[in-house]
Amino acid sequence: MNKFLLAVHVLAAIVAVGPVTVAASMFPPSARKALAEPGDAQALSTVRVLHRICRLYATVGVAVPVFGFATAKNMGVLGDTWLIVSIALTALAAVVLAALVLPRQTALMEGMEESIEGGVGEGGRQGAAYAGASRVGARDTARLAMFTGLFNLLWATVTILMIVRPGSTTGA
């Protein structure tokens, strides 16, 4: 049973967390491109798809700690320090994603969409009505990139802890 639970836990991590880390990392540069080229429908579409991937796989990612807890319980390692630290870092990564990354992605995307909807003045010119562009910009994408990097660093640390398992007596 341990091998089955561990396999499902690892597969869930690869299938759920992998796409979130990649899509979240691709979002800031894609958003910068969309902001630089407000009329580019494909750039905005890319931003929308990346955000959708992040939201969907963040939800699916709940399976990772569920199977992780089941595996740890079966292995009898719930009290091990490496696992407690991994659980805390996983919880922190989830908070960073839910409270800092996804809301900022949403705000950037909505700002870009507003700029497209209200950005074309009389005669097809972009003027003062280009409101969304003034609300979101390069600083927002830089801040988002920082939080995304923190999220990815937390997951990389958890992955290393899961592989190395410092102080574990269950074998490496």
Side-chain angles (χ1 to χ4, degrees), residues 66-142:
V66 168
F67 283 102
F69 274 111
T71 304
K73 184 178 179 214
N74 266 11
M75 292 176 69
V77 295
L78 277 175
D80 286 9
T81 304
W82 66 269
L83 185 65
I84 293 168
V85 171
S86 293
I87 291 168
L89 292 175
T90 298
L92 183 58
V95 168
V96 168
L97 182 64
L100 299 173
V101 174
L102 293 176
R104 281 175 170 75
Q105 284 183 351
T106 301
L108 276 163
M109 196 172 57
E110 288 173 353
M112 287 182 268
E113 288 170 345
E114 286 174 14
S115 70
I116 287 174
E117 290 170 4
V120 179
E122 293 178 14
R125 293 187 337 257
Q126 294 177 348
Y130 202 58
S134 65
R135 290 168 57 195
V136 295
R139 289 185 78 177
D140 298 307
T141 62

Side-chain angles (χ1 to χ4, degrees), residues 2-152:
N2 284 351
K3 289 181 181 183
F4 172 75
L5 289 172
L6 184 59
V8 173
H9 172 63
V10 170
L11 286 172
I14 291 167
V15 170
V17 179
V20 174
T21 58
V22 172
S25 296
M26 291 173 64
F27 189 96
S30 297
R32 278 191 288 277
K33 181 178 185 227
L35 286 167
E37 303 168 17
D40 188 351
Q42 185 176 0
L44 182 57
S45 178
T46 299
V47 169
R48 285 182 184 136
V49 167
L50 291 171
H51 181 59
R52 192 174 313 129
I53 289 169
C54 289
R55 280 192 343 252
L56 174 70
Y57 283 95
T59 305
V60 173
V62 171
V64 176
V66 168
F67 283 102
F69 274 111
T71 304
K73 184 178 179 214
N74 266 11
M75 292 176 69
V77 295
L78 277 175
D80 286 9
T81 304
W82 66 269
L83 185 65
I84 293 168
V85 171
S86 293
I87 291 168
L89 292 175
T90 298
L92 183 58
V95 168
V96 168
L97 182 64
L100 299 173
V101 174
L102 293 176
R104 281 175 170 75
Q105 284 183 351
T106 301
L108 276 163
M109 196 172 57
E110 288 173 353
M112 287 182 268
E113 288 170 345
E114 286 174 14
S115 70
I116 287 174
E117 290 170 4
V120 179
E122 293 178 14
R125 293 187 337 257
Q126 294 177 348
Y130 202 58
S134 65
R135 290 168 57 195
V136 295
R139 289 185 78 177
D140 298 307
T141 62
R143 195 169 293 120
L144 174 59
M146 177 187 68
F147 291 129
T148 300
L150 175 60
F151 170 75
N152 292 342

